[in-house]
Structure formats: structure tokens, C-alpha cells
Amino acid sequence: MRSAFPARPHRTLRARAHTLSLGERTVVMAILNCTPDSFSDGGRHEAPTRALERLEQFVDEGADWVDVGGESTRPNAPPVPWEEEWQRIAPVLEQAARGYPLPISVDTTKSEVAERALDLGASILNDVSGLRFDPRLADLAAESGAALILMHMRGNPRTMQISPEYHDVTEDVASFLERSIAQAQARGVTDEQIVIDPGIGFGKTAEHNFRLLAELPHLSRSGRPILVGASRKSFLGKSLGLEVDQRREGSLAAHVAAVLGGAHIVRAHDVRETVRAVRIADEILRAALDEA
Ligand code: HH2
């Protein structure tokens, strides 16, 4: 074996009516934040018409699914009551329910929001707390057949960046995710519904984030699908000395590295560019497999 890259396991992800084949090519998850305060696109898609235009663009740009969020989880973000979070995303989900072709995930830690989103046809629950804030999300996934993303976060958005420390960041995150998976399974979620995510930027220093990316193959002890969301995050800005609107190339580099390290899914703001970049990474992985 001469390739520098580990083989990316092929997996099936079940998400209600959708079955996604993971591993052959990278899945690009487009970000649609319907919030006034998200760190990079806050306020841009708040008005439903703007959000709907963006949904259409995502299809043209080659997105595989769309992640809709109504609460910012940036460091120090204030918590939002579920009713307000729901008001922000409901118009988008209502519109998507009228024949939008891509699967929709809802980025929420609250079962009240998730339940309503599932009623409007969402097929993936994206829980950035890894079931720590509201374990009922796992019951909803089990009952509905929705896929469930379990992400690692240290503390909560108000506390997560206060002196983050780990014994061994990759080991600690992997153990946390194993516990979240066990919790999901105990509530009836099947293996084919689960995706794990190291939570880039959620309670980590820049060094922790780079280490997690470098050690991605060690994150999934059982070859589970991995999602990585590095898009425009501050560790890139710190490294390059660039503000949030100047981090596109850094985001692409981080996502390509993640794919070569075994990520099945990347979460991105700049969809067109990300699709192009990860297709090249996919070709490199394919060449590695041919050679093996
Ligand atoms: N990152 C953010 C939000 N949700 N979900 C997953 N699974 N993985 C991530 O890395 C992730 C996530 C933060 O980014 P963004 O949505 O752009 O900002 P904000 O939380 O300020 O809305």
C-alpha cells in the first residue's frame, strides 16, 4: 500500500424517504442559517424570500442536502426559546415541503423544534450537543426514521471557549461520541441512521481543531460516517489572519484534508466551490483504492 490516505468505508445513511450512499463521493451539506446573529451569514437569510432564493441556488450549485438552523451556536451566543427558533425556520421548511428535491436537516438541540420540523418533512436531525441537551431527539429519530447527527461540544456555547483542555483531544472526542451513540442506540436509533461529528470549533483551541483534522481516521472506532464542519470558522481566521468573509480558501483546504482523512460529509457555506474541491479529493481517494 503506497497511498498516504486511509480507505473511506462505504456506508448507507437512512433518512426517512431518503437513502444516501456515503463514501463513494463526498456529500456536501449546504448551510442555511435563518438567524439574525450566526457568525458568518447571520441576518442574510432571515427574510423567508432570501432563504428561499438560497435554497434554489443550493440545488444549482450541487449541494446534496441543506442544513436549516434557527439558533446560532457561535461562542457566547444567547439561548433562543424554542418558539422563536421555530418561527425563524418554519417558513423555509413549509416552502421546502412543497417538492424541494434535497433532504433537509434541522440544526437544533430542542425536541420541540425537531418534532415540528419532522412534521414538515425534515429527514435529518443535526444535534450539536450529541444528545446532552435533549435526549428526546433520539426518540424522535427512532420513531420517524430520521438520520441523527451526533456532534461533540464541550459545555455549551456560552462556556465552550473558556480554556478548553483535553487529555487527548481525539481520544476524548471519540469517547464522548461513543457515549452519545450508545445513548441513541438505547433509544432505538439504528446504526444506519447515525453520523458522528468532531464539532470543529465547539470548545476547542485552534491546535485542537487542527489535531482533530489530522487524526480524523482515529475518530470513528467502528467506521461510522463522519461529518466535518470547518466552514469559515475562527481557527482558520486565526491561522491566516483573516476575517470571516475571507476564509473561503482556508475552508476548502480544511474540507479537502478532512475528506482525505475519511470524512464522508462536509458542511459548507460556499457550496459551489466546496463541491469542486471535494470532487478532486474524491478522485485522489479513488486512485488510492485502485492502487491498493
Ligand atoms: N457548526 C455550526 C453549526 N452547526 N452542525 C454540525 N453537525 N457540525 C458543525 O460543525 C456545525 C453545526 C456552526 O456554524 P454556523 O451554522 O455557520 O454558525 P452559527 O452556529 O453561528 O449559526
Side-chain angles (χ1 to χ4, degrees), residues 89-218:
I89 63 171
V92 175
L93 296 178
E94 274 158 14
Q95 191 63 28
R98 299 189 195 123
Y100 188 64
L102 304 180
I104 300 275
S105 57
V106 58
D107 188 348
T108 188
T109 56
K110 303 184 189 87
S111 55
E112 294 87 348
V113 173
E115 193 167 13
R116 285 164 179 77
L118 290 169
D119 286 345
L120 282 181
S123 47
I124 301 160
L125 302 180
N126 177 17
D127 178 10
V128 297
S129 83
L131 295 178
R132 276 186 308 120
F133 295 176
D134 187 347
R136 278 215 333 113
L137 287 169
D139 301 331
L140 291 172
E143 285 157 21
S144 66
L148 178 62
I149 298 165
L150 298 170
M151 197 195 82
H152 173 269
M153 182 200 306
R154 182 183 163 273
N156 61 50
R158 281 178 179 243
T159 61
M160 66 187 184
Q161 287 306 118
I162 305 169
S163 338
E165 268 180 41
Y166 296 89
H167 167 63
D168 171 328
V169 68
T170 305
E171 273 299 316
D172 293 359
V173 169
S175 301
F176 169 103
L177 291 172
E178 286 298 320
R179 287 194 294 277
S180 299
I181 292 165
Q183 213 181 336
Q185 286 170 330
R187 288 173 179 258
V189 182
T190 65
D191 277 346
E192 289 195 332
Q193 288 170 270
I194 297 176
V195 172
I196 57 171
D197 182 334
I200 298 295
F202 284 83
K204 284 122 188 155
T205 62
E207 291 71 27
H208 291 141
N209 292 316
F210 284 120
R211 181 168 288 271
L212 279 165
L213 288 171
E215 297 181 350
L216 209 56
H218 299 284

Side-chain angles (χ1 to χ4, degrees), residues 31 33 38-39 72-74 107 126 128 149 151 197 202 227 229 233 267 269:
I31 303 171
N33 284 319
S38 284
F39 79 94
S72 173
T73 47
R74 72 181 195 288
D107 188 348
N126 177 17
V128 297
I149 298 165
M151 197 195 82
D197 182 334
F202 284 83
L227 187 159
K233 287 190 176 167
R267 183 177 179 279
H269 297 93

